[in-house]
Amino acid sequence: QVQLVESGGGLVQAGGSLRLSCAASGSIFSINAMGWYRQAPGKQREMVAKIRTTDSITYANSVMGRFTASRGNVKNTIYLQMDRLKPEDSAVYYCAFSDYDPLNDEYDYWGQGTQVIVSP
C-alpha cells in the first residue's frame, strides 16, 4: 500500500503563486511515476503534469509555462510550483502514484487532494 499526502493549497489572488507538495509513503520503489491532476466543480478531472519513471515531464497546455513539476531529492516526493495563477486554475489538486507508467492516467494510488482557490 502507498499513502499520498498533498499540502500547500490555499487561497491566492490572480497572478500569485503557490507550491504544492506530495509525499508518498509505504511500499515505495525508487523508480515510480507520479502526477498532478485537478478537478474543478462540475468538471472532469484533468491532468496538470505527470512525471514518468524516466523523469520526463508532460504538462497540460493550459499550464505550460506557468507551472513547474519536479521531484524532490528523495523520489517519493513531488512538487508543483504554480506561478501566474488564474481563476480558472481553481480546483482540488490531486497527487497520483504508480510504480510504472500507467496507461490512460490510471494510477494505482491517489491522494485526498488539496484545494486551490484563485480569486480574480
Side-chain angles (χ1 to χ4, degrees):
Q1 286 291 322
V2 173
Q3 295 77 42
L4 301 174
V5 178
E6 302 106 331
S7 61
L11 173 64
V12 64
Q13 285 189 329
S17 298
L18 283 174
R19 179 177 165 91
L20 305 184
S21 300
C22 174
S25 61
S27 300
I28 305 293
F29 291 100
S30 60
I31 298 175
N32 55 65
M34 297 183 74
W36 289 102
Y37 291 74
R38 67 187 181 187
Q39 187 167 19
K43 295 187 176 181
Q44 288 192 328
R45 185 172 62 194
E46 63 176 355
M47 186 273 290
V48 176
K50 52 185 177 184
I51 305 175
R52 294 182 182 80
T53 55
T54 57
D55 289 341
S56 66
I57 303 174
T58 298
Y59 295 96
N61 289 336
S62 59
V63 307
M64 199 171 297
R66 299 187 298 121
F67 291 11
T68 303
S70 61
R71 287 191 186 272
N73 290 332
V74 181
K75 283 202 168 184
N76 64 329
T77 303
I78 60 170
Y79 304 96
L80 185 67
Q81 177 66 40
M82 305 187 293
D83 297 319
R84 292 182 281 143
L85 282 159
K86 304 175 182 180
E88 51 264 43
D89 294 319
S90 297
V92 177
Y93 283 70
Y94 297 92
C95 175
F97 176 98
S98 284
D99 56 14
Y100 56 90
D101 292 312
L103 295 175
N104 301 320
D105 297 334
E106 294 178 346
Y107 289 81
D108 288 332
Y109 301 97
W110 293 84
Q112 293 297 308
T114 185
Q115 179 82 54
V116 171
I117 301 173
V118 184
S119 63

